[in-house]
Amino acid sequence: MSTTKRLWLGLAALIIASFSVMLWLGFDLHRTAPPMPERVVSASGHVIYTRADIEKGRQVWQSIGGQELGSIWGHGALVAPDWSADWLHREAEAMLDLDARANTGQAYAQLDEPTQAKLQSALRSNLRKNTYDASNGDIVVGDDRAKAIEQVAAHYISLFSNDPATHDLRVAYAMKENTAPDPEHRRVMSAFFFWTAWATVTNRPDGSMVSYTNNWPYDPLVGNTPTSSAFMWSMFSLLFLLGGIGLMTWHYAAYHGKEAAPTPPATDPLLGLVLTPSMKATAKYFWVVIALFLVQILLGATTAHYQVEGQDAYGFALADVLPYSLTRSWHTQLAVLWIATAWLGTGLYIAPAISGHEPKFQRAGVNFLFACLLIIVIGAFSGQWFAVMQKLGLANNFWFGHQGWEYVDIGRFWQAFLFIGLLLWLFLVGRALWPAIKRKDEMSSIVGLLFLSTIAIGLFYGAGLMWGEHTHISLVEYWRWWVVHLWVEGFFEVFAVAVMSFLFVKLGLVRGKTATEAVLFATIVYLTGGVLGMFHHLYFVGTTTAGVALGAAFSALEVVPLAIIGLEAYETWSHSRATPWMARYRWPIVFFLAVSFWNLVGAGLFGFLINTPIALYYMQGLNLTPLHGHTALFGVYGMLGIGLMLFCLRGLKPDVAWRSGALRGAFWCLNIGLSLMALLTLLPLGVLQLQAALEHGYWFARSDAFMNRPIIHLLVWMRVPGDTIFSIGALTLAWFVLRLWVAPRREIAGER
């Protein structure tokens, strides 16, 4: 049996096994997720909240931005608090004060330490006891806790209104006035916040003395401390990492580079490529990439500035027309959209180039898909504005407004429309590739893997359609990460690796057999950790120890391929120097080189920093999370998208001289700007938050008392140099692309 065939069988076995475990863990999560009560009742029989209140409260929360305004269970925006952690601590303090006054006649803060410790012990027993009755669906709380719930609810009802008493807090949280203008909506939203906090502190009914969220968030006042499994599986994840790196290094030393590299051709093999009508039609996709990229940067700067002024932008009341939750929603979604558009455009361009076949009406399909994408972006973003401004109504919000789930915020109608668009993209790419798939040559496996990754990209976005308006939040999180982790981080990367390998083979720089085996092996290694590693996002949403164990073990393996990324980067760089005509492709390859660097730093170092259960227990939702997010999402996938775009542009404009100065400036400005953003703001801010969480509890690290300190404001302002340099790089890249079509300079023979 050939090596290629063995690798294909290994990949098939891996995918079947991994997704079988994924689905099993999904069923297990359905069984172990925190229960949704029918009623929350006081000991004296007063009904505090009903299931309808909690469900409607979640709808209200989603309509105002959901995870884009503060967070729930650590997932979401960072300026406002984590509402579950905030409610939990406020409720605990209210209960302590009520208990102190009832038993001593004094406020809790006035008591001596031994008396406070005694009250804290009673508090933990009260809060952690599971009083959910599965027979009737009731949660029964003591009358003292019912009073505390009423006090905390009053705080939130005031906060989400325009009450002057909480105005300063709204400014600190970057919330607009009257975030939820309907008083009843504010009341039921407090019911949802209560339930999310209840799940974080209430012990599971299995006698494990561990809450539904594995004791997250850290709050020693209520007895929320790391579980033993968090420590144990963090240790094992380190062992998996070291073992994986050892095996990967051995394999690289034993097998890589044993075959002599081919002699590069004397001239560029792609110069004779005939552009088909559909390939030419992809140019507009790359124009949109640039436009979305620039708008995303503008919205990112606006979102960051809200952390300083709260409701204004240099004195202008921006929150009245463009609230923080909206700018952040659009900023995060545009990041995915422009990167995905670059890859979609690459697929449509490269498919006819690979097969040499232009299917009938292919150009019309490319143009139709482009129009659909524009309609989706405009329609989805408009719906979100109407939702956040509370002009859409709860009845229409789920379908046309703001779903409130970070990265998959758009209304269900627009989600379904986008899924149909991706299926159309799959059809267009697949039928153009089909003649190449049927050919039996050294490129067959690479083309086959490219086609399979195209199928996965088209189908796996469908995971975003697996939840409904009232699906349990734990299961929504499960399916959401199928999209964010598997779709964005997984199969798009396989697609990109296959495309790059094909290009290097086509250029005569790598042998087809060698590239095929390398791509299949890299895919196996990446998906080994990448599929089940998704569960490191789900440690604290209702998973049991099995989810924590698998997430810890396999997310550690995600880092393994990055151990030799420097060697791969050197090989990529050597391709750009293999022959004089490769200077034509220098800048796409240089951007691929940046991908290798940020893979090591952003995905590797900063990713593993927060990956283990014990690390993420303290760091989830702190600024160390966006440190990884920014450096991995743009550093890896953004740079990859730009590199692929430049490869396509080189083919679309083969006779135009490239302005290397502009590309050099864009490259260094983007990389330096991203580095400064990470090192001057996100990293030090995240470290300070981590210290605050360790000393006082997670709630404090996200509180206004901590986030409004002068040092925090200084660190936020320190984003200006990096953001400015980054923006200059983006504008320079836009200028370069513009000049390819506007007053281009023809390339002189022999010019580089």
Side-chain angles (χ1 to χ4, degrees), residues 21-271:
V21 175
M22 284 277 290
L23 292 172
W24 168 72
L25 285 170
F27 283 115
D28 187 57
L29 181 59
H30 176 75
R31 179 181 61 85
T32 61
M36 180 66 69
E38 294 300 323
R39 301 188 306 170
V40 179
V41 188
S42 70
S44 59
H46 172 63
V47 177
I48 303 170
Y49 297 124
T50 65
R51 180 173 187 147
D53 291 337
I54 298 171
E55 294 279 12
K56 187 175 181 180
R58 191 181 95 173
Q59 289 179 281
V60 176
W61 168 73
Q62 290 176 263
S63 74
I64 64 173
Q67 290 177 335
E68 305 292 1
L69 182 64
S71 58
I72 292 291
W73 294 348
H75 291 147
L78 306 178
V79 177
D82 181 90
W83 304 114
S84 42
D86 189 64
W87 179 291
L88 176 62
H89 196 78
R90 288 179 184 275
E91 184 182 339
E93 289 184 326
M95 289 178 66
L96 286 172
D97 201 57
L98 287 168
D99 199 7
R101 293 182 186 278
N103 289 285
T104 68
Q106 292 181 287
Y108 172 77
Q110 296 173 331
L111 301 177
D112 56 46
E113 191 171 325
T115 306
Q116 287 185 340
K118 183 179 179 181
L119 292 177
Q120 287 177 18
S121 178
L123 171 75
R124 295 185 191 110
S125 298
N126 190 337
L127 287 177
R128 302 196 71 83
K129 183 180 179 181
N130 194 329
T131 59
Y132 173 72
D133 187 343
S135 65
N136 60 17
D138 284 355
I139 293 175
V140 181
V141 300
D143 289 336
D144 57 339
R145 187 174 184 183
K147 292 179 182 177
I149 291 171
E150 184 180 353
Q151 288 183 16
V152 180
H155 164 76
Y156 283 102
I157 290 170
S158 171
L159 178 64
F160 285 88
S161 71
N162 57 359
D163 185 356
T166 46
H167 169 75
D168 290 344
L169 207 52
R170 282 192 293 278
V171 172
Y173 293 164
M175 293 170 57
K176 74 183 187 74
E177 297 297 313
N178 252 345
T179 302
D182 188 319
E184 176 61 12
H185 285 182
R186 297 195 291 269
R187 185 191 72 82
V188 295
M189 189 161 55
S190 72
F192 173 64
F193 290 161
F194 161 78
W195 175 79
T196 64
W198 175 86
T200 66
V201 74
T202 302
N203 287 333
R204 292 179 182 271
D206 57 8
S208 61
M209 305 301 289
V210 174
S211 79
Y212 289 103
T213 60
N214 290 313
N215 287 356
W216 189 93
Y218 175 59
D219 193 340
L221 184 65
V222 300
N224 264 13
T225 55
T227 63
S228 58
S229 63
F231 285 103
M232 182 176 70
W233 286 105
S234 294
M235 178 184 69
F236 277 113
S237 73
L238 292 172
L239 294 178
F240 279 115
L241 173 65
L242 294 175
I245 289 175
L247 288 173
M248 188 70 180
T249 305
W250 170 81
H251 179 275
Y252 193 90
Y255 294 100
H256 193 77
K258 299 303 180 183
E259 187 181 53
T263 302
T267 58
D268 181 359
L270 296 183
L271 274 180

Side-chain angles (χ1 to χ4, degrees), residues 332-360:
T332 55
Q333 287 167 81
L334 283 172
V336 176
L337 282 171
W338 76 258
I339 293 171
T341 302
W343 291 353
L344 296 180
T346 298
L348 293 170
Y349 173 86
I350 205 72
I354 290 174
S355 66
H357 172 65
E358 173 84 348
K360 193 174 182 180

Side-chain angles (χ1 to χ4, degrees), residues 15 32 81 91 125 170 176 218 250 253 268 296 318 328 344 349 410 474 486 512 517 553 557 588 595 620 625 746:
I15 290 174
T32 61
E91 184 182 339
S125 298
R170 282 192 293 278
K176 74 183 187 74
Y218 175 59
W250 170 81
D268 181 359
Q296 190 228 347
L318 187 61
R328 190 179 190 274
L344 296 180
Y349 173 86
I410 62 177
S474 295
L486 294 179
E517 293 177 359
L557 295 179
V595 171
Q620 180 163 285
T625 304
R746 292 292 174 187

Side-chain angles (χ1 to χ4, degrees), residues 379-682:
F381 281 26
S382 298
Q384 289 183 326
W385 185 87
F386 281 101
V388 171
M389 299 305 289
Q390 297 293 283
K391 298 178 182 293
L392 192 61
L394 296 185
N396 298 314
N397 180 68
F398 177 77
W399 283 95
F400 300 101
H402 201 305
Q403 284 198 50
W405 308 113
E406 189 180 27
Y407 291 108
V408 284
D409 294 308
I410 62 177
R412 174 54 52 86
F413 172 82
W414 304 109
Q415 268 187 315
F417 195 169
L418 180 55
F419 179 59
I420 294 170
L422 288 169
L423 293 181
L424 174 58
W425 176 78
L426 165 60
F427 172 73
L428 292 171
V429 174
R431 72 180 192 145
L433 278 176
W434 191 246
I437 296 171
K438 292 192 296 183
R439 288 197 299 260
K440 300 299 180 183
D441 55 27
E442 64 174 5
M443 299 295 290
S444 296
S445 285
I446 292 181
V447 175
L449 190 61
L450 179 63
F451 180 61
L452 288 178
S453 63
T454 302
I455 293 174
I457 290 169
L459 296 182
F460 267 81
Y461 185 77
L465 306 177
M466 295 300 291
W467 67 79
E469 189 170 8
H470 299 291
T471 300
H472 194 289
I473 185 175
S474 295
L475 294 178
V476 174
E477 284 294 285
Y478 170 76
W479 289 113
R480 184 173 78 92
W481 286 107
W482 275 60
V483 178
V484 179
H485 183 89
L486 294 179
W487 187 69
V488 176
E489 299 181 26
F491 294 106
F492 265 120
E493 179 146 325
V494 174
F495 170 81
V497 169
V499 169
M500 286 192 294
S501 296
F502 169 81
L503 290 172
F504 285 144
V505 173
K506 196 73 173 176
L507 290 170
L509 302 175
V510 183
R511 298 184 192 278
K513 182 176 182 296
T514 304
T516 296
E517 293 177 359
V519 169
L520 285 170
F521 180 75
T523 301
I524 290 171
V525 171
Y526 182 79
L527 293 183
T528 297
V531 175
L532 292 177
M534 183 197 83
F535 268 80
H536 82 264
H537 298 289
L538 303 175
Y539 291 147
F540 314 120
V541 301
T543 50
T544 57
T545 301
V548 173
L550 286 167
F554 285 91
S555 65
L557 295 179
E558 288 185 86
V559 186
V560 168
L562 308 180
I564 56 173
I565 202 73
L567 300 174
E568 297 290 348
Y570 175 77
E571 187 170 316
T572 300
W573 176 247
S574 68
H575 289 327
S576 71
R577 305 164 67 90
T579 185
W581 57 261
M582 273 302 296
R584 289 173 53 84
Y585 303 98
R586 177 173 183 264
W587 286 107
I589 292 177
V590 167
F591 274 93
F592 295 153
L593 195 66
V595 171
S596 298
F597 172 79
W598 289 110
N599 241 328
L600 178 62
V601 176
L605 295 178
F606 294 152
F608 193 71
L609 173 67
I610 62 173
N611 259 15
T612 60
I614 192 62
L616 200 59
Y617 179 82
Y618 293 107
M619 298 181 195
Q620 180 163 285
L622 304 184
N623 272 272
L624 293 173
T625 304
L627 171 69
H628 163 60
H630 281 77
T631 53
L633 183 57
F634 178 78
V636 178
Y637 302 102
M639 292 289 185
L640 195 54
I642 293 173
L644 292 173
M645 177 182 72
L646 292 176
F647 242 120
C648 296
L649 292 179
R650 180 76 275 185
L652 286 168
K653 290 291 184 179
D655 300 326
V656 174
W658 278 30
R659 302 173 185 272
S660 295
L663 284 176
R664 182 179 295 107
F667 175 82
W668 285 111
C669 283
L670 290 172
N671 281 279
I672 292 172
L674 182 60
S675 300
L676 292 178
M677 183 193 310
L679 298 178
L680 296 184
T681 298
L682 297 176

Side-chain angles (χ1 to χ4, degrees), residues 294-370:
L294 293 178
V295 175
Q296 190 228 347
I297 292 171
L298 178 62
L299 288 167
T302 305
T303 302
H305 188 78
Y306 267 127
Q307 196 166 345
V308 178
E309 288 201 63
Q311 295 178 333
D312 301 334
Y314 301 103
F316 177 70
L318 187 61
D320 292 343
V321 292
L322 204 63
Y324 169 88
S325 61
L326 198 61
T327 63
R328 190 179 190 274
S329 299
W330 291 349
H331 174 68
T332 55
Q333 287 167 81
L334 283 172
V336 176
L337 282 171
W338 76 258
I339 293 171
T341 302
W343 291 353
L344 296 180
T346 298
L348 293 170
Y349 173 86
I350 205 72
I354 290 174
S355 66
H357 172 65
E358 173 84 348
K360 193 174 182 180
F361 302 121
Q362 182 78 354
R363 180 183 180 183
V366 170
N367 290 334
F368 180 73
L369 177 60
F370 179 78

